[in-house]
Amino acid sequence: MTRFLPQEAIRQKRDGVVLEGSTVRRFIEGVTAGEVSDAQIAAFAMAAFLRGMTPSETVDLTLAMRDSGDTLRWDDLPGPVADKHSTGGVGDNVSLMLAPIAAACGLYVPMISGRGLGHTGGTLDKLEAIPGYDVRPDERRFRDVVREAGCAIVGQTARLAPADGRIYAVRDVTATVESVPLITASILSKKLAAGLPSLVLDVKTGSGAFMSRREDAETLARSLVEVAQGAGVAASALVTDMDQPLASVAGNAVEVANAVRFLTGERQDTRLREVTLALCGEMLRLAQLAGTAGEGAAMAARALDEGRATERFGRMVAALGGPADFVERFEHHLPQAPVRLEVPAGEAGTVQTVDARALGLAVVRLGGGRTRAEDPVDPAVGLTGLAPIGRRLEPGDALAVVHARDRASAEAAIADVRAAFRLGEAGASGPAVIGRIG
């Protein structure tokens, strides 16, 4: 075989040449084997960032990254397999409810999730607030839990799409994160390695999203759907609003508690229910368990309201090492912050805008997120009772409640939270689901 020269692939992409599939595969094989240096990865990423990639190139890149490690198969399950992926937001704990709701409707959901990134919370960080919950089970246990409970939410192993991990680490420090083809390949390579025949994407837009402009979110959503379909996966995407937190809470343990209250019907934030059921409806439509997304959403609502999803959630938690009575005694099991202080409104008015990103960063500063990958996360801290856009407040009414480790950090968070809200004479929330693609 002719010796592969990574610099030639870089030169071609730099000059705007459409790369052949064999060239893309050999470059990624070199990344995985250590034959391609970090400098060459950075040069390739910058060339792709500046020149772009065609849909066919992005499909080739996605498949090569998928095939850089293990791939899972679920042929032994007696029903359809499906999953969803969110681009991340603040107060977005949809996965915690969506997986058991979908399972209660007949889907099998092997959900591989990630940790917090920047101002956004991570599903794994939330689940680690549950005592004993194993976010990194071995493959056999992962499979057993999916079969038994219908769903399992776990973390990515080092053997799934390892090329993505190396490429992303380089992109993170070379100003090439925002490339739509590279984001697409990064997201889909991991999901395809999980062996999914269908996938729903939740692409956020607004102040709390990575894609703050709607047109950028729609561009990414179209890319994800087109490339997933080109790789043989049934896919669709919802573009959802992140101009305010999706739930009335933000943090780790507080979002798990919110999820349990949602599942049991004790409390369901309106926008959170809208997004969760819409995504479930798309999943059931793609898996052909419902004729339309609307029919699927109605199926999901019944599974939720009848308590079948709650039972699935409890089974999943127990099967992955959490308390068997977690649903019944979640307040006892979850860590509690020792300091809780209200954030009073300084004036009367209606909530007009909320800087969701600022609220996410307030949680990070409390210790509920990371500024470095190796930082520990405090599961107990966060925000609850977040006032939504459109709520009328009088002076002294609470904008939110801060849960903190000490009074000094609580006082700092109060200032951050107050600055994130703007009150005026009028304000109204728009729909949480603002677009559908695919």
Side-chain angles (χ1 to χ4, degrees):
M1 181 183 294
T2 303
R3 183 185 177 193
F4 177 71
L5 299 176
Q7 59 267 38
E8 283 302 295
I10 296 166
R11 181 188 61 77
Q12 290 176 30
K13 182 43 45 188
R14 179 201 68 189
D15 293 344
V17 175
V18 176
L19 300 179
E20 295 183 358
S22 58
T23 301
V24 174
R25 285 192 298 274
R26 284 291 290 116
F27 189 87
I28 296 303
E29 287 170 0
V31 170
T32 308
E35 298 166 356
V36 175
S37 69
D38 283 358
Q40 289 170 322
I41 294 173
F44 181 87
M46 186 59 76
F49 181 92
L50 296 174
R51 286 292 193 173
M53 301 185 79
T54 66
S56 64
E57 284 180 298
T58 310
V59 170
D60 290 335
L61 179 62
T62 300
L63 293 177
M65 290 165 62
R66 177 201 67 183
D67 295 337
S68 65
D70 293 349
T71 55
L72 303 178
R73 295 183 64 88
W74 302 95
D75 300 336
D76 58 322
L77 292 177
V81 173
D83 196 5
K84 77 95 184 174
H85 175 82
S86 169
T87 56
V90 180
D92 177 9
N93 61 346
V94 167
S95 293
L96 303 183
M97 293 85 69
L98 178 141
I101 293 172
C105 293
L107 287 172
Y108 288 89
V109 187
M111 184 176 288
I112 296 176
S113 296
R115 299 197 178 277
L117 182 65
H119 64 279
T120 67
T123 300
L124 296 189
D125 296 324
K126 296 166 192 175
L127 288 170
E128 284 188 329
I130 301 174
Y133 191 102
D134 183 6
V135 299
R136 297 205 182 276
D138 60 36
E139 184 178 330
R140 178 164 185 172
R141 188 181 193 188
F142 180 34
R143 288 182 173 279
D144 287 346
V145 176
V146 171
R147 175 179 286 276
E148 176 188 330
C151 59
I153 308 175
V154 301
Q156 180 186 0
T157 71
R159 297 195 303 270
L160 286 179
D164 172 64
R166 189 166 174 225
I167 293 170
Y168 187 86
V170 173
R171 288 170 56 216
D172 194 34
V173 295
T174 57
T176 53
V177 169
E178 296 88 349
S179 163
V180 167
L182 297 181
I183 293 172
T184 299
S186 178
I187 290 171
L188 293 180
S189 62
K190 296 188 287 286
K191 288 297 184 181
L192 269 59
L196 302 174
S198 65
L199 176 66
V200 175
L201 290 312
D202 179 7
V203 182
K204 306 289 188 185
T205 184
S207 67
F210 286 107
M211 296 288 186
S212 59
R213 299 193 314 160
R214 179 171 176 175
E215 51 265 42
D216 293 335
E218 290 176 342
T219 296
L220 176 59
R222 282 191 292 271
S223 175
L224 286 164
V225 169
E226 186 172 7
V227 172
Q229 291 175 342
V233 174
S236 66
L238 299 183
V239 179
T240 62
D241 174 65
M242 188 45 68
D243 260 333
Q244 61 179 312
L246 188 56
S248 58
V249 304
N252 294 304
V254 294
E255 289 196 42
V256 175
N258 178 265
V260 176
R261 293 188 175 101
F262 184 102
L263 288 166
T264 61
E266 178 183 338
R267 175 183 172 80
Q268 294 179 350
D269 297 303
T270 301
R271 297 171 71 254
L272 186 61
R273 180 178 172 104
E274 179 188 348
V275 172
T276 301
L277 295 182
L279 290 167
C280 281
E282 286 292 317
M283 290 173 69
L284 291 165
R285 178 184 69 83
L286 289 177
Q288 299 182 353
L289 292 184
T292 66
E295 291 174 7
M299 289 173 58
R302 288 194 296 273
L304 173 62
D305 297 340
E306 292 170 3
R308 290 183 280 127
T310 308
E311 189 268 339
R312 296 281 184 159
F313 179 81
R315 280 165 60 184
M316 178 187 75
V317 169
L320 284 166
D325 62 348
F326 182 73
V327 170
E328 295 77 16
R329 303 184 68 218
F330 67 93
E331 291 179 305
H332 167 77
H333 291 297
L334 289 171
Q336 308 285 330
V339 177
R340 298 187 189 187
L341 295 177
E342 286 191 350
V343 183
E347 59 183 355
T350 299
V351 178
Q352 284 188 325
T353 63
V354 180
D355 186 342
R357 184 175 186 274
L359 294 178
L361 290 174
V363 173
V364 173
R365 293 188 188 101
L366 283 166
R370 298 177 180 83
T371 55
R372 299 176 304 168
E374 62 270 22
D375 286 345
V377 167
D378 187 340
V381 302
L383 307 172
T384 60
L386 291 162
I389 292 174
R391 176 173 291 176
R392 178 72 184 178
L393 299 172
E394 298 301 324
D397 287 349
L399 294 167
V401 177
V402 172
H403 298 239
R405 187 56 56 187
D406 53 60
R407 190 166 187 97
S409 58
E411 295 285 359
I414 286 174
D416 290 339
V417 171
R418 187 178 282 122
F421 284 84
R422 190 177 77 179
L423 275 58
E425 289 304 310
S429 289
V433 178
I434 56 179
R436 176 177 280 105
I437 293 170

